[in-house]
Amino acid sequence: MHDALELLRRGLRLREGDRTGLENVDLIPVGTPIGGTVPVGSLVTKRRQEGPVSIERDDRERVITIQAGFFGRDLGSVMRDIQARVDPMKANLPSGFAILYGGEYEEQQKSFRQLIFALLLAVVLVYMVMAAQYESWRDPLIILFSIPLAAVGVAATLLITRTTFSIQAFLGVIMLAGIAVSNAILLVDYSNVLQIGRAHV
């Protein structure tokens, strides 16, 4: 049993001394239909060329990952420079090839989409709650109209300070939206109180 396993192992893999040089590949014997053997070098032509050390796959598709680091610049400006050079190449890509941006940029875009959805959902829910409280469609609209006005101040501040619109800035905008809505509720309530007082007078 041991001898059979040893012969099988030798038949599937060359000895260490026979695997050290490329020229030894020509000497590998290959069986012929008539029962003899010939060296593989008489049947094939070998050619040395470069190949991948390893093959990476993502969702059963081959991928090539290009990584880079950046220092002293924000991610948005770096990605704009990369896209300005890479995007024109997409039109000339062969069939079955694609260029995708991943890593930190992909996570940032995913976070932005989630925050936009959270902001819109919060605005809709706040409007529904205020419409039920005020029993009116007009007053909640007036209150929510303060959010775009607050966003104008945010955009102006970012431009003046030359600050990029990051995830932290987006979280600040959501917090500012809540503060603006609270302030607008107080103003609308006070204006309603004044109107009721004038009506009694």
Side-chain angles (χ1 to χ4, degrees), residues 36-89:
T37 60
V38 295
V40 72
S42 62
L43 301 176
V44 300
T45 302
K46 66 178 184 295
R47 182 178 58 186
R48 183 188 294 270
Q49 64 181 18
E50 295 182 357
V53 178
S54 62
I55 299 177
E56 298 181 11
R57 295 183 183 273
D58 184 12
D59 196 16
R60 298 183 179 180
E61 294 183 353
R62 289 190 178 186
V63 296
I64 298 176
T65 304
I66 300 176
Q67 298 180 346
F70 55 92
F71 303 95
R73 296 181 60 188
D74 60 279
L75 179 61
S77 63
V78 172
M79 286 305 304
R80 282 193 295 271
D81 292 343
I82 294 175
Q83 290 172 343
R85 290 177 175 267
V86 174
D87 287 351
M89 300 166 52

Side-chain angles (χ1 to χ4, degrees), residues 15-34:
R15 292 174 299 180
E16 181 67 28
D18 296 331
R19 290 187 278 118
T20 56
L22 185 61
E23 64 277 359
N24 293 330
V25 176
D26 292 336
L27 304 177
I28 298 176
V30 178
T32 63
I34 61 176

Side-chain angles (χ1 to χ4, degrees), residues 21 52 58 67 88 95 128 135 140 147 157 164 186:
D58 184 12
Q67 298 180 346
S95 177
M128 293 173 62
E135 296 182 355
I147 296 178
T157 303
T164 57
L186 294 176

Side-chain angles (χ1 to χ4, degrees), residues 37-163:
T37 60
V38 295
V40 72
S42 62
L43 301 176
V44 300
T45 302
K46 66 178 184 295
R47 182 178 58 186
R48 183 188 294 270
Q49 64 181 18
E50 295 182 357
V53 178
S54 62
I55 299 177
E56 298 181 11
R57 295 183 183 273
D58 184 12
D59 196 16
R60 298 183 179 180
E61 294 183 353
R62 289 190 178 186
V63 296
I64 298 176
T65 304
I66 300 176
Q67 298 180 346
F70 55 92
F71 303 95
R73 296 181 60 188
D74 60 279
L75 179 61
S77 63
V78 172
M79 286 305 304
R80 282 193 295 271
D81 292 343
I82 294 175
Q83 290 172 343
R85 290 177 175 267
V86 174
D87 287 351
M89 300 166 52
K90 290 185 176 181
N92 301 323
L93 285 177
S95 177
F97 286 79
I99 298 176
L100 303 175
Y101 301 105
E104 190 174 344
Y105 177 75
E106 182 183 13
E107 294 299 324
Q108 184 192 59
Q109 296 302 308
K110 187 185 299 183
S111 299
F112 271 126
R113 288 193 295 269
Q114 293 174 349
L115 288 173
I116 290 173
F117 176 75
L119 179 60
L120 294 177
L121 182 62
V123 169
V124 172
L125 292 177
V126 167
Y127 178 81
M128 293 173 62
V129 171
M130 289 192 299
Q133 268 190 326
Y134 286 100
E135 296 182 355
S136 169
W137 299 101
R138 185 194 64 180
D139 289 347
L141 283 176
I142 295 173
I143 293 171
L144 292 181
F145 189 71
S146 63
I147 296 178
L149 297 178
V152 172
V154 172
T157 303
L158 291 176
L159 288 175
I160 293 172
T161 60
R162 296 182 180 180
T163 305

